Amino acid sequence: MKAIAVRPGKKNSVHLADLPKPKLDDVPGGRGVLIRVLKVGVDATDKEINDAQYGNSPPGYDFLVLGHEFFGIVDSVGPNVRNVKPGDYVTATVRRPGGSIYDKIGTSDMTSEETYYERGINLLHGYLTEYIVDDCEFIVQMPVGLKHLHVLAEPMSCAAKAVQQAFEVQRRLRVWRPRVAYVLGAGQIGLLTTLILRLRNLEVYTIARGEAPNLKSEIVTGLGSNYVSTKQKSIKQLSEEVGKADLIIDATGSSAIAFGAMEVLGHNGVLVWTSITGGRNHVEVPGDKVNLDWVLGNKLLVGSVNANRDHFEMGIRDLAVGEVTWPGVIKKILTTPVRGLDNYQEMMRLLVEDQSALKVYVDVAEG
Ligand code: BGC
Ligand code: ZN
């Protein structure tokens, strides 16, 4: 079976690997789900793993199969599987449990252990191959009516968790009625977060570099949000015009912007960081001023990574509501298909070089 893999720690090592086809019995207890891979999305994480910034092979291997944004069709299931059946369209969660209490209660996205196990990212093979098998616990059904949004289920789950975390932590206030939200970055997480916040009727400003009109601004305005280009207006200027934000979600991949956001959050506000920044950048912040403002304003910063199956289910529901609220808009994120696993070089080239590609994904098989 073909698979797209890298040698972690070695730059630009993306290559085609060979794996045996998995079997239902590879999962104990009759809980296996064997799935034919249809489509797999790639993102900055795959780019950074191929750039040797992080990522580890599974024990016993000197390569790591990439791909954590999964969409497939169930081929067969073990006798104790109840949640999906052959022919169902499905996605799969990314993280697998370690040993902490959070892992044991189905929330491995909140593991308290330093080591985390993520398919296609750390210590477990990913989905850029022909078939996968996994425990039914980690397989989530996609309604057939959302088949055309396929690989967005996983990034959507991360966006759903980020927003859910903000509302969870704000229960400290007893009453929280956020009005203005800034979403920093208009990559896939920024756009999907915009969608979720618009479904909650917030006044959303989605902030990115490029000047409108462009595809990102078209999607942002299509979701009833406001597109702001930092080439025309700084975030500080925006905050002077529309007021500081009650909620800020950073999805830029820039730690300078993530820290800068601390200066435009309103009293009692929450700032959520979602970016994985694999580099070594240092940033300067006006520490005394931020410290003072944050203490006087009871402000809160929360990091959010990954997603468990509840977030996948939330995200899929929001994709469905988003699709009927703004028909055809979400699909515009899925810009750049690559045909077949053999085209792995092209996949990486598009991911690294193509500035117009909002979302690169591999069409692994028809179905
Ligand atoms: C993935 C998450 C993962 C994170 C950290 C992201 O690209 O979508 O599922 O937890 O990287 O590895
Ligand atoms: Zn990702």
Side-chain angles (χ1 to χ4, degrees):
M1 208 176 61
K2 287 178 198 168
I4 300 181
V6 294
R7 292 187 197 290
K10 192 164 173 278
K11 281 188 179 211
N12 296 321
S13 62
V14 66
H15 64 281
L16 215 52
D18 189 34
L19 281 179
K21 186 177 168 186
K23 300 182 302 293
L24 268 185
D25 294 348
D26 295 348
V27 176
R31 297 172 52 84
V33 182
L34 182 68
I35 309 168
R36 189 158 64 90
V37 180
L38 297 179
K39 295 178 199 293
V40 179
V42 285
D43 69 3
T45 294
D46 303 280
K47 184 164 69 179
E48 291 175 351
I49 295 172
N50 190 43
D51 193 39
Q53 293 187 23
Y54 46 78
N56 286 294
S57 306
Y61 290 86
D62 62 355
F63 64 88
L64 168 74
V65 175
L66 282 180
H68 60 274
E69 299 177 356
F70 178 73
F71 180 73
I73 186 165
V74 176
D75 175 281
S76 49
V77 301
N80 295 323
V81 174
R82 300 281 176 272
N83 56 333
V84 290
K85 56 183 188 313
D88 283 352
Y89 291 106
V90 290
T91 183
T93 64
V94 176
R95 205 174 267 194
R96 297 292 170 267
S100 81
I101 180 74
Y102 307 101
D103 297 279
K104 294 193 173 114
I105 61 167
T107 58
S108 57
D109 60 311
M110 300 299 265
T111 190
S112 56
E113 297 188 328
E114 293 284 331
T115 305
Y116 56 89
Y117 303 86
E118 289 182 344
R119 290 200 66 160
I121 300 174
N122 209 35
L123 300 167
L124 298 169
H125 284 319
Y127 304 126
L128 271 166
T129 182
E130 296 173 61
Y131 284 86
I132 65 137
V133 74
D134 216 327
D135 191 292
C136 54
E137 166 72 16
F138 309 118
I139 306 303
V140 182
Q141 195 163 18
M142 281 280 276
V144 67
L146 290 182
K147 189 185 162 195
H148 61 297
L149 300 182
H150 45 82
V151 301
L152 291 181
E154 195 277 339
M156 187 64 178
S157 72
C158 295
K161 172 174 173 184
V163 175
Q164 183 236 19
Q165 290 290 295
F167 279 83
E168 279 292 302
V169 297
Q170 289 297 67
R171 289 210 255 168
R172 69 186 173 133
L173 296 170
R174 292 185 174 77
V175 177
W176 189 51
R177 304 242 169 81
R179 186 178 65 83
V180 173
Y182 301 167
V183 175
L184 310 184
Q188 60 175 355
I189 298 293
L191 293 171
L192 295 169
T193 304
T194 297
L195 165 74
I196 298 171
L197 296 176
R198 285 295 304 127
L199 286 175
R200 281 151 192 65
N201 256 318
L202 271 79
E203 181 182 321
V204 182
Y205 296 86
T206 307
I207 300 161
R209 252 192 305 250
E211 282 177 82
N214 56 38
L215 177 62
K216 290 178 176 178
S217 71
E218 185 186 324
I219 296 170
V220 165
T221 51
L223 298 171
S225 173
N226 304 282
Y227 183 85
V228 180
S229 162
T230 50
K231 288 202 177 125
Q232 285 168 335
K233 200 179 281 177
S234 70
I235 304 177
K236 267 220 169 91
Q237 281 169 325
L238 174 74
S239 73
E240 280 152 19
E241 271 173 35
V242 305
K244 287 186 172 175
D246 303 305
L247 166 62
I248 303 180
I249 303 210
D250 171 68
T252 55
S254 156
S255 52
I257 296 175
F259 276 93
M262 299 181 94
E263 295 183 69
V264 290
L265 185 71
H267 277 204
N268 287 357
V270 56
L271 166 60
V272 187
W273 282 356
T274 71
S275 291
I276 309 291
T277 46
R280 294 278 175 275
N281 285 340
H282 285 231
V283 295
E284 257 181 49
V285 285
D288 280 355
K289 185 173 181 308
V290 169
N291 188 340
L292 180 70
D293 284 352
W294 275 58
V295 171
L296 295 180
N298 288 299
K299 302 179 193 184
L300 184 65
L301 169 64
V302 58
S304 177
V305 72
N306 195 251
N308 63 48
R309 64 171 304 131
D310 289 344
H311 304 119
F312 273 75
E313 286 168 0
M314 282 175 211
I316 289 169
R317 277 198 295 275
D318 275 354
L319 283 177
V321 182
E323 190 61 354
V324 295
T325 310
W326 301 287
V329 176
I330 306 168
K331 170 87 185 151
K332 291 181 185 171
I333 299 173
L334 292 162
T335 49
T336 314
V338 175
R339 270 199 94 69
L341 295 167
D342 291 328
N343 279 321
Y344 63 93
Q345 296 280 19
E346 178 67 353
M347 174 196 89
M348 209 38 94
R349 189 191 68 75
L350 288 164
L351 188 59
V352 175
E353 290 172 18
D354 190 345
Q355 299 299 325
S356 67
L358 245 177
K359 177 82 235 157
V360 178
Y361 61 94
V362 181
D363 259 319
V364 177
E366 294 295 316

